[in-house]
Amino acid sequence: AIDFQRITHPDDLGGDLALVQRLVAGEIPAYDLEKRYLRKDGATVRVLLTVTLARDAAGAPRFFIAPIQALEPRRRAESELESFFETSPDLLAILGEGGRFVRLNRAWETTLGFTRAELDARTIVDLLPPEDASRNHALALALHRGETVRAARYRFRHAAGHWVWVEWNASRHGDGQIFCVGRDVTERKTLEQAL
């Protein structure tokens, strides 16, 4: 008994109506929009709205097709994942093309002493010793072949100039990104060398 205008948050209505007009005019084939709906009790619900228009044989609009996805569960899951990612004491990273950091967690800063901005300006290879280049190349080839690398130990340069030993697990995913989990094992490595 009510239309979408009455249940759309007033601040979001103008943008939604403008897209509806462009859709009806044939300027766009469909649109996606994050917007707020109003619940019966007045609370807002964030949704992702995807709208297309069904037309008759003559091309006249017949009806809208508008799947609506509630964003709250997804946003809650993303927030939980972000908290988990950031609170891990292990070094977590997603690497893109050329070893660039797509995403990394706070443990990189505390373990290696670089700020996030400094790390964002580097590739992972920039943090490794040049004399390990052939070993690094072999690891990159293994990952490119789709192999999962487990318990590989590498030295990483600390901002203060010394080396930190990190034990790695890494795997390549379908989109070409490398997912890495590393743990500082400098103390263990020092004890092994002493023994």
Side-chain angles (χ1 to χ4, degrees):
I2 56 176
D3 54 32
F4 81 89
Q5 290 94 329
R6 286 181 52 200
I7 60 170
T8 296
H9 190 284
D11 295 342
D12 297 345
L13 185 58
D16 198 0
L17 289 173
L19 288 167
V20 166
Q21 288 172 353
R22 291 186 64 204
L23 185 64
V24 171
E27 296 174 14
I28 55 174
Y31 69 89
D32 292 327
L33 177 69
E34 276 194 35
K35 64 181 267 187
R36 293 165 290 178
Y37 277 123
L38 298 173
R39 291 173 25 145
K40 186 176 184 177
D41 63 7
T44 60
V45 178
R46 286 202 165 272
V47 300
L48 175 61
L49 176 68
T50 302
V51 183
T52 58
L53 182 62
R55 297 180 182 272
D56 63 21
R62 287 191 59 212
F63 54 86
F64 293 100
I65 303 169
I68 300 167
Q69 178 186 1
L71 291 177
E72 203 54 43
R74 186 175 85 187
R75 291 227 169 123
R76 187 172 31 256
E78 288 170 354
S79 174
E80 289 168 357
L81 181 61
E82 181 67 23
S83 294
F84 176 78
F85 194 84
E86 284 299 327
T87 57
S88 173
D90 290 333
L91 288 85
L92 304 178
I94 301 172
L95 305 177
E97 189 175 326
R100 291 243 168 249
F101 291 103
V102 173
R103 185 165 178 205
L104 51 89
N105 69 341
R106 189 174 295 120
W108 283 84
E109 296 173 273
T110 57
T111 303
L112 298 180
F114 292 101
T115 66
R116 191 158 304 205
E118 291 171 322
L119 290 164
D120 285 341
R122 291 174 167 80
T123 68
I124 196 165
V125 176
D126 295 335
L127 302 173
L128 301 171
E131 59 269 24
D132 290 354
S134 61
R135 188 168 176 247
N136 300 338
H137 184 68
L139 173 71
L141 287 175
L143 289 167
H144 184 70
R145 289 190 301 266
E147 298 174 24
T148 296
V149 174
R150 298 198 186 281
R153 287 190 184 176
Y154 285 85
R155 293 179 295 162
F156 282 78
R157 184 168 47 91
H158 191 279
H162 62 274
W163 296 104
V164 176
W165 281 95
V166 177
E167 187 171 88
W168 280 100
N169 289 347
S171 63
R172 182 174 185 262
H173 289 263
D175 59 2
Q177 292 183 328
I178 306 294
F179 285 33
C180 306
V181 178
R183 178 167 291 168
D184 181 353
V185 293
T186 307
E187 188 175 327
R188 187 185 334 160
K189 184 73 174 175
T190 303
L191 288 172
E192 289 171 0
Q193 288 173 333
L195 289 172

